[in-house]
Amino acid sequence: MGSPTPPRGTHDRNEHPTCKPVELIRWLHRLVVPRGGVILDPFAGSGTGGVAAALDGLRWIGIERNPDYCTIARWRIAQVAPLFAAPAVTP
């Protein structure tokens, strides 16, 4: 479940350098992902795609090499889909 205190970069503004609006990503998902589909996001960043997928009931696989962004993404997704918050997978 999500932490009550957001990690750095998630509160007032997202510090990821290419953060996109969630509504834009939701619109893009609706254009190309079939209902109930799976999204593979190889550059997950701060998790905007995961947030959008959770809001639209889509499955999402996010890949991100920066552990700080992974922490932010997990927290953001847990805020909209706490039942689906998964523990970190480490190599």
Side-chain angles (χ1 to χ4, degrees):
M1 183 152 313
S3 165
T5 305
R8 184 170 186 263
T10 57
H11 188 53
D12 293 313
R13 87 189 232 302
N14 192 323
E15 294 178 7
H16 190 276
T18 61
C19 187
K20 315 289 186 296
V22 171
E23 289 305 315
L24 171 64
I25 303 303
R26 290 180 77 184
W27 178 75
L28 292 170
H29 286 171
R30 286 191 294 271
L31 286 177
V32 298
V33 180
R35 183 171 289 150
V38 179
I39 298 162
L40 175 61
D41 187 349
F43 307 101
S46 60
T48 302
V51 171
L55 291 171
D56 290 333
L58 298 169
R59 293 171 290 164
W60 179 80
I61 300 167
I63 302 166
E64 176 56 51
R65 72 180 195 153
N66 183 315
D68 293 334
Y69 292 146
C70 289
T71 299
I72 292 168
R74 280 193 302 274
W75 187 87
R76 291 181 68 208
I77 295 165
Q79 300 313 297
V80 297
L83 295 176
F84 301 104
V89 177
T90 54

